Amino acid sequence: MTAPHGRGLLHLAAALDQQTAFDAASYVGPAQLAERGGLDFVTLGDTFARPGPDALAVLSRVAPATRRIGLVPTVTTTHTEPFHVQAAVATLDWVSRGRAGWQLDVSTTEGEARLFGRRHAAPADALWREAGEIAEVAARLWDSWEDDAEIRDEATGRFVDRDKLHHVDFRGATFFVKGPSIVPRPPQGHPVRVVDATEGPARRVAARYADVALVRVVGPTQARAVRAELRDAAAKFGRHPDTLRVLASLVVDLGDGERAAEPGHGGGGPRQTAQGPLYRGGPVDLAELIAAWHASEAVDGFHLTPVEPHRDLERLVNGTVALLQHRGLFRTFYPGSTLREHLGLARPANQYAVTGGAS
Amino acid sequence: MTVRKRMHLAAHFPGVNSTTVWTDPRSKSQIDFASFEHLARTAERGLFDFFFLAEGLRLREHKGRIHDLDVVGRPESITVLNALAAVTERLGLAATVNATFNEPYELARRLATLDHLSGGRAAWNVVTSSDAFTGENFRRGGFLDRADRYARAAEFVATARELWDSWTPEGVARPFAHQGQHFDIAGEFGLPRSPQGQPVVIQAGDSDEGREFAAATADVVFTRHGTLDAGREFYADVKGRLATYGRSPEDLKIMPGVTVVLGDTAADARERAAEIRRRQVSPQNALLALEQIWGVDLSSYDPDGPLPDIDPEPEPALARGRVRVADPLAVAEKWRALSRAKGLSIRQTVIEASGRQSFVGTPETVAAELDEFVTTGAADGFILVPHLTPGGLDEFVDRVVPLLQERGAFRTEYTGTTLRSHLGLPEPIWKG
């Protein structure tokens, strides 16, 4: 599928979050449904503040039951060791054969801090600065093995070429990591980093490190402005702005039939609620909205959170997505096998291979 | 008439291990999920109790550089096991996770998640570290003296159990508070009680503190006693400690880590075992083994020549990230004596002196020997450590398991769905 009118391809993602489901089947079925719709990826949120399973574990369980769809768990950075975070994300990429992402988040409450008893709650901006450092050290640790480090050279008895393994010696404001990682470089090089860039402190981290930025916005004008700001900021960090995908995050309630139940709402666009911008209406109207925002280059795609997980995901895939596919606006099969390929993002070069330095 | 004692079996993924042979043409990736899936499916086909993953949190170094002669690099264990839960149905899934570099709330949550997602098949092999070298990868530097390590590990496990039991059996979340020497935490746990009550706890230390820790808290002990006599002595000692804690002998399963080499005849098996040892100890590995004892650079020595005349450094600092040799002078003298007595080269001496295969023989003799260990009180079962990734247990499952079943020494089907049911362990009583 080529991109019409110079626009980028449309990207779609769905959240699998549901209240207090602890068994595998509750997540496997919906992930398979999203894959049948050809979605770029599914997300699963995680927080220590509410009950729920470990999101990265759930998506690891989902990985062998799916073949193509990207798997993006939230992994928080405030209380978990940076070394463990990067190893788990790299491993998700290995078990899914290149389909892992990682949505970064922080834990700001004293309640979460008390579960660990190691540090007190801190303001969001300090925690996001730290999250940025952890995004940085994760990338260095993923690069700490060059792709061809494993040589299995029987003549010299060497399993690895140790000149292609690197100490990272990273010192952040609150932690130090020596490296190298215990996990060889993951299939995607760097698993896809996702940041909800709606709030200020996170937006800076998104501009610098995210491959995908999520923004909670109610209209295309606002979306276009945030996207432009993120792309400018990315360029100032030395990135090409096209290496950043910006997706509008909407909560969707598709319970009201084919067309908008509330005059001036569904077709008219989302409205702000406590859970974020809420779209309420029919799957067809949602397809119109997606097509319109994307056509006007307000966003690169959408991240949709069903209000009623099973009902709304089913309507999203069989209604909204099917219509977008019918109109040639969304892929009908996966041409690639990795999440980076779905997103049109190149596999990053290894920072240590470029400089060629030995550890 | 007493019930026939049946053994328990577990499969250790070979991966990062100095005994893993990577030069064999059948050796495959230690990283690709397909390798883990192959060994796990083999173990489940053989009706094994569980699949076991080791852990390493820092790559080993030698002479200040990354050790490059053995298999290195591994995925993170709990994440792999969650994926394996999708391709297996009954097999227990055991992860080694260091208590020193984790916090109870988070690890208890990850293990409870694995237990829920696998329908009650999770196990945790508790290890501790006093290693500041590994600590350089972590916020908490990690150095603890030996006694503190076990005190912290014991409090860690006790805290995890409080969290696992914190919801009511009806599934209502309740607040917890734990205040101790090492942990002061409070709040609400993230998951209901798990399908098997609590994940199975495995302990792998062999010291006096380790044995006491196992008797007090573990469900399974992973030992290294591969001979009948040493096995019986360890078995009696650890089982004898259980009464102090109000536990009975069957509450703790003792499973030595063992290796098996099969052949069509005894001579064939011996020949295969010798070939595996030669592949495990390459010329470069032989010099390295020597350097770890001598504590000096021996790269100029010929691995096919005699052992060094010089004595070892008393305080070697060459090797980091592995256990130190306790008395290098004594070991060096023993190796020199062995070399002199049998006329062995450096490489031959290392092969002769270092770890040999536990069971070498035909499927019939190996099955009989394994059974003897179990029926004579040297073990409750075995953790099999193959030398090949991922096909290293194919032959055992195809040729030995049926013989064990014929003898009545091993199950012929899974009778339960949880790891506790395979191990014959009762579900822990909910302590509220």
Side-chain angles (χ1 to χ4, degrees):
Chain A
M1 192 163 76
T2 54
H5 316 305
R7 267 183 284 127
L9 291 178
L10 173 64
H11 301 286
L12 293 176
L16 296 183
D17 301 72
Q18 42 197 301
Q19 297 243 310
T20 59
F22 300 97
D23 64 307
S26 296
Y27 300 95
V28 170
Q32 290 173 334
L33 175 61
E35 184 169 68
R36 281 201 293 279
L39 268 57
D40 293 69
F41 61 92
V42 290
T43 62
L44 184 60
D46 202 348
T47 169
F48 295 121
R50 284 189 302 281
D54 179 81
L56 187 136
V58 170
L59 293 185
S60 306
R61 173 65 182 75
V62 165
T66 52
R67 296 171 49 82
R68 287 289 181 262
I69 195 162
L71 304 168
V72 183
T74 295
V75 182
T76 56
T77 58
T78 306
H79 298 295
T80 304
E81 289 280 358
F83 194 84
H84 290 325
V85 172
Q86 64 82 28
V89 173
T91 301
L92 179 61
D93 207 42
W94 278 106
V95 302
S96 66
R97 300 183 170 94
R99 296 185 284 134
W102 162 29
Q103 181 165 351
L104 289 81
D105 204 355
V106 300
S107 310
T108 55
T109 69
E110 186 61 31
E112 289 160 288
R114 282 292 289 135
L115 300 170
F116 287 81
R118 294 284 163 216
R119 56 200 303 207
H120 284 292
D125 57 346
L127 296 179
W128 273 108
R129 264 199 305 281
E130 184 183 68
E133 292 178 345
I134 291 164
E136 170 73 33
V137 78
R140 291 198 197 181
L141 286 163
W142 294 331
D143 283 347
S144 67
W145 289 62
E146 295 185 36
D147 289 315
D148 52 355
E150 189 180 309
I151 51 171
R152 296 187 181 232
D153 183 32
E154 197 171 343
T156 58
R158 294 178 309 146
F159 182 80
V160 288
D161 177 352
R162 56 188 169 196
D163 289 340
K164 295 185 173 182
L165 297 176
H166 304 275
H167 290 126
V168 302
D169 289 314
F170 182 86
R171 189 170 295 283
T174 59
F175 66 91
F176 171 80
V177 177
K178 181 76 184 175
S181 180
I182 52 164
V183 188
R185 195 164 195 250
Q188 297 185 98
H190 298 175
V192 169
R193 284 171 289 182
V194 179
V195 174
D196 184 325
T198 310
E199 311 281 343
R203 194 170 291 178
R204 196 181 152 77
V205 172
R208 183 157 181 188
Y209 295 108
D211 303 293
V212 176
L214 307 179
V215 292
R216 286 169 276 140
V217 288
V218 291
T221 311
Q222 187 191 2
R224 193 177 299 110
V226 177
R227 180 167 179 265
E229 183 195 324
L230 278 163
R231 288 170 62 91
D232 282 352
K236 289 198 181 90
F237 284 116
R239 302 176 60 187
H240 193 292
D242 287 344
T243 61
L244 175 63
R245 301 278 171 268
V246 180
L247 309 188
S249 250
L250 301 180
V251 179
V252 295
D253 177 353
L254 303 178
D256 293 334
E258 285 301 302
R259 291 275 161 183
E262 293 176 35
H265 177 52
R271 66 174 171 193
Q272 199 55 258
T273 70
Q275 312 147 274
L278 169 71
Y279 168 88
R280 178 178 287 152
V284 174
D285 281 334
L286 180 59
E288 303 286 0
L289 181 148
I290 288 171
W293 289 28
H294 185 247
S296 69
E297 295 190 44
V299 290
D300 300 303
F302 288 81
H303 171 251
L304 305 168
T305 301
V307 164
E308 217 285 65
H310 293 273
R311 180 199 68 193
D312 290 334
L313 185 64
E314 198 271 329
R315 290 181 183 186
L316 177 69
V317 169
N318 295 328
T320 308
V321 172
L323 188 57
L324 291 166
Q325 289 170 330
H326 181 69
R327 292 188 188 168
L329 297 173
F330 190 62
R331 71 171 74 83
T332 53
F333 68 99
Y334 292 99
S337 59
T338 70
L339 176 53
R340 282 190 171 274
E341 286 168 340
H342 306 338
L343 290 165
L345 298 171
R347 189 175 189 269
N350 189 316
Q351 57 191 299
Y352 295 103
V354 172
T355 58
S359 65
Chain B
M1 187 182 133
T2 56
V3 178
R4 180 74 161 77
K5 195 176 168 195
R6 289 186 164 186
M7 70 179 65
H8 301 283
L9 292 174
H12 186 303
F13 186 80
V16 180
N17 201 327
S18 61
T19 60
T20 302
V21 170
W22 55 265
T23 53
D24 188 297
R26 294 165 296 176
S27 163
K28 297 268 171 41
S29 170
Q30 80 288 3
I31 303 297
D32 286 346
F33 183 64
S35 292
F36 293 90
E37 185 172 352
H38 180 117
L39 189 68
R41 285 188 189 271
T42 304
E44 188 162 82
R45 180 161 57 84
L47 306 176
F48 279 35
D49 293 71
F50 61 92
F51 176 89
F52 182 95
L53 288 176
E55 183 190 52
L57 296 172
R58 176 122 186 227
L59 304 188
R60 286 164 51 200
E61 292 183 11
H62 184 70
K63 297 189 230 174
R65 304 191 67 198
I66 305 289
H67 172 59
D68 59 358
L69 301 181
D70 293 323
V71 175
V72 58
R74 62 176 113 212
E76 187 270 314
S77 298
I78 296 180
T79 305
V80 170
L81 295 179
N82 277 299
L84 286 177
V87 297
T88 54
E89 289 177 359
R90 300 293 185 94
L91 185 67
L93 302 165
T96 303
V97 188
N98 200 305
T100 307
F101 302 111
N102 282 282
E103 297 297 331
Y105 185 88
E106 182 168 41
L107 183 55
R109 182 173 182 264
R110 297 188 73 205
L111 291 164
T113 298
L114 175 63
D115 210 51
H116 278 278
L117 293 176
S118 65
R121 299 190 276 142
W124 171 31
N125 178 36
V126 186
V127 295
T128 64
S129 173
S130 61
D131 182 355
F133 173 72
T134 304
E136 286 181 337
N137 281 335
F138 296 95
R139 280 191 166 116
R140 62 173 294 114
F143 182 80
L144 287 170
D145 70 32
R146 191 180 191 86
D148 270 356
R149 273 162 64 190
Y150 276 103
R152 188 178 190 278
E155 190 180 332
F156 197 122
V157 175
T159 308
R161 291 194 192 281
E162 289 167 28
L163 297 171
W164 289 332
D165 271 4
S166 69
W167 290 40
T168 70
E170 294 74 39
V172 178
R174 296 177 318 157
F176 71 87
H178 174 97
Q179 201 169 10
Q181 190 196 341
H182 295 276
F183 308 106
D184 178 4
I185 62 176
E188 207 171 86
F189 190 56
L191 291 98
R193 198 157 194 261
S194 62
Q196 57 177 337
Q198 294 180 357
V200 167
V201 172
I202 305 172
Q203 191 276 337
D206 208 29
S207 63
D208 191 58
E209 296 100 318
R211 293 179 188 207
E212 207 60 34
F213 177 68
T217 57
D219 300 304
V220 175
V221 181
F222 179 2
T223 81
R224 308 218 172 266
H225 297 285
T227 67
L228 257 185
D229 288 343
R232 282 186 191 131
E233 193 183 312
F234 179 84
Y235 192 93
D237 176 74
V238 174
K239 296 263 180 177
R241 296 175 190 233
L242 288 163
T244 317
Y245 301 97
R247 307 178 72 197
S248 56
E250 56 274 19
D251 290 345
L252 177 65
K253 306 301 178 192
I254 294 178
M255 299 176 69
V258 299
T259 55
V260 171
V261 182
L262 299 172
D264 292 333
T265 63
D268 177 35
R270 277 198 302 274
E271 196 172 304
R272 289 175 74 179
E275 173 57 20
I276 292 167
R277 293 295 296 136
R278 273 193 297 277
R279 283 193 180 267
Q280 285 171 329
V281 183
S282 67
Q284 296 85 356
N285 253 322
L287 285 181
L288 179 96
L290 226 58
E291 286 181 345
Q292 280 168 342
I293 291 159
W294 263 259
V296 290
D297 186 340
L298 300 173
S299 52
S300 60
Y301 282 77
D302 177 2
D304 295 321
L307 270 69
D309 296 329
I310 53 168
D311 278 333
E313 285 288 312
E315 293 290 332
L318 279 188
R320 307 192 72 187
R322 66 149 45 187
V323 178
R324 293 255 166 85
V325 177
D327 185 354
L329 271 168
V331 177
E333 201 34 65
K334 205 170 104 192
W335 283 23
R336 282 198 283 236
L338 183 66
S339 168
R340 276 195 303 271
K342 298 194 177 179
L344 304 177
S345 69
I346 286 176
R347 187 179 179 200
Q348 288 166 328
T349 304
V350 174
I351 288 172
E352 187 75 14
S354 58
R356 332 197 59 174
Q357 292 97 345
S358 330
F359 297 93
V360 179
T362 63
E364 290 76 14
T365 58
V366 167
E369 286 172 23
L370 291 171
D371 193 21
E372 188 188 6
F373 262 67
V374 173
T375 51
T376 62
D380 293 312
F382 305 91
I383 296 179
L384 299 174
V385 189
H387 74 280
L388 275 184
T389 307
L393 288 180
D394 293 357
E395 200 180 4
F396 182 90
V397 166
D398 291 336
R399 300 182 69 184
V400 181
V401 167
L403 298 176
L404 293 172
Q405 289 168 329
E406 264 173 39
R407 304 173 72 96
F410 190 60
R411 69 173 65 87
T412 53
E413 60 181 351
Y414 287 116
T415 52
T417 58
T418 67
L419 175 53
R420 281 188 186 278
S421 72
H422 307 335
L423 289 168
L425 297 168
E427 193 173 296
I429 294 159
W430 183 68
K431 300 216 175 87

